[in-house]
Amino acid sequence: GNSVTQMEGPVTLSEEAFLTINCTYTATGYPSLFWYVQYPGEGLQLLLKATKADDKGSNKGFEATYRKETTSFHLEKGSVQVSDSAVYFCAEGGGYQKVTFGTGTKLQVIP
Amino acid sequence: NAGVTQTPKFRILKIGQSMTLQCTQDMNHNYMYWYRQDPGMGLKLIYYSVGAGITDKGEVPNGYNVSRSTTEDFPLRLELAAPSQTSVYFCASSADRVGGYTFGSGTRLTVV
């Protein structure tokens, strides 16, 4: 079946540092791609999405570009804040039985 | 604007007991899902529904049952609880097949 691979965490950064969390997927065709964020004790929240090749999803200073040629959807942010500390999940699909989540990457931002 | 509401937030069950996890959404979404989240394992789909009266198995359905009598409600039933069912359970909904999901805040279940 399809799989989504994320870089293992935890990722620890100082405030205002640049963030990259790598994500690659195996689905063929043109699946929709998503990043979700989970804060402690809460459910997952949709952070951004892209539905076709070369699309860039963006929200709250986070960005990710749908790269069909490398089957990747890396998450980036130019300057992280302490409030960005959370677990980030990459996901592919969008069909009701075809969404596949990565295992999550924990981000810790220290002042 | 409630979104997806799950109850209870926490529960401890003894082996062999049964319980129902409740999930309600107020967004008129047709698609609803149940996932379980185990540490370091991501999310696994248990059951899903594409509308009232229609349900189907996901990746890990054994030991669970669901029903969808209304658009709003999608309860998950655990029969004969086992320690392997200790997990955090999330309900989610979506308006269509390519949009993102709205998740509830989860139910942390421990089976002892």
Side-chain angles (χ1 to χ4, degrees):
Chain A
N2 296 335
S3 65
V4 174
T5 302
Q6 297 180 227
M7 59 190 294
E8 290 205 13
V11 174
T12 302
L13 295 173
S14 297
E15 205 165 22
E16 299 183 2
F18 184 85
L19 168 71
T20 300
I21 300 178
N22 291 336
C23 170
T24 57
Y25 64 93
T26 62
T28 57
Y30 292 87
S32 296
L33 301 173
F34 309 88
W35 276 102
Y36 287 84
V37 59
Q38 184 179 31
Y39 298 103
E42 298 183 10
L44 282 70
Q45 301 174 25
L46 179 64
L47 181 60
L48 54 84
K49 69 177 183 181
T51 57
K52 59 183 188 291
D54 300 324
D55 263 3
K56 178 182 284 187
S58 62
N59 187 24
K60 299 181 182 179
F62 291 91
E63 293 182 339
T65 301
Y66 192 140
R67 299 290 187 199
K68 177 65 176 172
E69 64 276 14
T70 54
T71 61
S72 65
F73 193 55
H74 305 323
L75 182 68
E76 296 182 335
K77 187 175 186 183
S79 175
V80 294
Q81 305 300 312
V82 172
S83 57
D84 294 326
S85 297
V87 181
Y88 292 82
F89 291 88
C90 185
E92 63 86 11
Y96 50 81
Q97 79 272 51
K98 298 176 183 173
V99 173
T100 303
F101 287 84
T103 54
T105 302
K106 184 175 183 178
L107 170 66
Q108 297 175 319
V109 180
I110 55 177
Chain B
N1 203 8
V4 178
T5 302
Q6 290 184 239
T7 56
K9 291 191 180 302
F10 304 94
R11 184 71 186 269
I12 298 175
L13 279 182
K14 293 185 178 179
I15 294 172
Q17 286 184 322
S18 300
M19 77 164 293
T20 299
L21 281 66
Q22 301 292 343
C23 176
T24 299
Q25 54 96 3
D26 63 358
M27 297 170 286
N28 203 34
H29 285 172
N30 282 326
Y31 299 87
M32 295 189 74
Y33 317 84
W34 274 104
Y35 285 89
R36 58 178 288 172
Q37 183 181 32
D38 300 313
M41 299 296 290
L43 283 83
K44 302 291 185 184
L45 181 64
I46 306 171
Y47 270 96
Y48 65 93
S49 169
V50 302
I54 306 170
T55 63
D56 209 343
K57 296 177 181 178
E59 188 180 355
V60 289
N62 291 344
Y64 307 95
N65 252 310
V66 294
S67 60
R68 184 95 182 270
S69 56
T70 66
T71 299
E72 294 79 18
D73 300 310
F74 191 42
L76 178 71
R77 178 81 178 164
L78 279 72
E79 305 281 1
L80 300 175
S84 60
Q85 293 178 304
T86 293
S87 188
V88 180
Y89 291 84
F90 288 102
C91 180
S93 72
S94 65
D96 53 47
R97 294 170 61 173
V98 296
Y101 292 175
T102 300
F103 281 84
S105 58
T107 295
R108 184 175 294 276
L109 175 67
T110 302
V111 181
V112 297

